Amino acid sequence: MKRVILFGAPGSGKGTQSGSLSEFLRVNVISLGDILRKEVKDGTALGGEVKGFMEKGLLVSDELVGRVIEANLNPNGFVLDGYPRNVAQAENLEAILKTNNCDIDAFIYFDVDESTVIERLSKRRICKQCGALYHLKNMPPQKCGVCDKCAGELYQRKDDNPETIKKRWEVFLEENQGLVDFYTSRNKLIKVDARGQKDDVFERIKPKLQ
Ligand code: AMP
């Protein structure tokens, strides 16, 4: 498999698994959220357009994220995190790939419940320098506030606060079923129980990608 989508609620573990999956499949990760956050941080025009939506936990327009995907997607292979998030985006991705005579291989659905999402996101910390992910309880850094991998400073995402987490969960629930139906009808859906530890979840995914 070379073209894989990671789908699930915020905090379902897509970002946590994306690195292992990219090594396993030997393709690059594209995280739409990371790309947009960088635009905001760099103060670009695009960043200015998306900032307000991101802070409120709302989806940015399909047209705008479609452009970002077209500019960043290598159709030969990818682990795609955070796109598509609704059926219109799924149709757009299908059209982009079709012009390259290819299609996705799998849509991996990370299945979690709301309480897991709240617990994971509220204790999530990220390295400012290398983007490594931590969880204060389940995957804590060795030294408080410092990245194990590069000694960068750890921070909490602005939208990982209780109010915005709730909004993001609601937005996810609105779009979730439509997307699951879309990829079920194309025989691409792989549903994984995404609760529990990182390594356990990866072991559940791996055999389904053979
Ligand atoms: P994430 O890092 O995937 O949790 O995304 C963070 C935020 O970026 C979301 O809450 C949205 O505001 C925006 N975003 C990321 N991916 C998309 C997408 N496919 N469509 C629209 N907005 C998105």
Side-chain angles (χ1 to χ4, degrees), residues 71-158:
N72 287 279
L73 191 80
N74 174 358
N76 294 326
F78 50 79
V79 168
L80 191 48
D81 170 3
Y83 192 92
R85 265 178 147 105
N86 59 32
V87 171
Q89 294 180 8
E91 284 168 347
N92 183 48
L93 177 65
E94 197 170 59
I96 294 172
L97 293 177
K98 208 169 175 184
T99 60
N100 290 280
N101 291 318
C102 57
D103 195 3
I104 67 149
D105 297 312
F107 175 84
I108 307 176
Y109 176 24
F110 288 62
D111 192 20
V112 283
D113 50 86
E114 187 178 6
S115 60
T116 305
V117 162
I118 293 169
E119 215 274 327
R120 283 184 180 171
L121 291 184
S122 53
K123 295 194 174 65
R124 175 161 75 177
R125 296 293 183 275
I126 305 162
C127 175
K128 261 188 186 164
Q129 213 157 279
C130 74
L133 294 172
Y134 295 88
H135 182 276
L136 294 182
K137 203 170 109 209
N138 303 332
M139 285 195 299
Q142 279 168 11
K143 193 173 157 200
C144 180
V146 180
C147 178
D148 294 346
K149 294 177 184 146
C150 74
E153 186 191 338
L154 303 187
Y155 78 104
Q156 182 170 28
R157 260 171 61 172
K158 248 188 175 172

Side-chain angles (χ1 to χ4, degrees), residues 162-196:
E163 197 189 327
T164 316
I165 290 172
K166 191 164 177 289
K167 185 72 213 165
R168 288 155 71 205
W169 172 257
E170 284 166 13
V171 167
F172 165 75
L173 285 188
E174 278 166 28
E175 306 293 352
N176 161 24
Q177 194 57 48
L179 264 187
V180 167
D181 291 347
F182 182 92
Y183 285 109
T184 303
S185 75
R186 282 154 175 75
N187 262 327
K188 304 289 184 190
L189 185 88
I190 294 177
K191 191 170 175 178
V192 179
D193 176 359
R195 291 167 304 171

Side-chain angles (χ1 to χ4, degrees), residues 2-46:
K2 287 274 168 238
R3 297 176 202 91
V4 171
I5 294 169
L6 310 186
F7 176 73
S12 57
K14 305 181 298 289
T16 301
Q17 296 298 329
S18 62
S20 320
L21 283 166
S22 107
E23 267 176 40
F24 182 66
L25 299 171
R26 295 164 189 267
V27 293
N28 290 329
V29 179
I30 301 186
S31 159
L32 190 56
D34 284 352
I35 294 174
L36 297 179
R37 269 185 293 282
K38 184 161 187 313
E39 296 284 340
V40 173
K41 193 172 150 226
D42 293 349
T44 64
L46 177 72

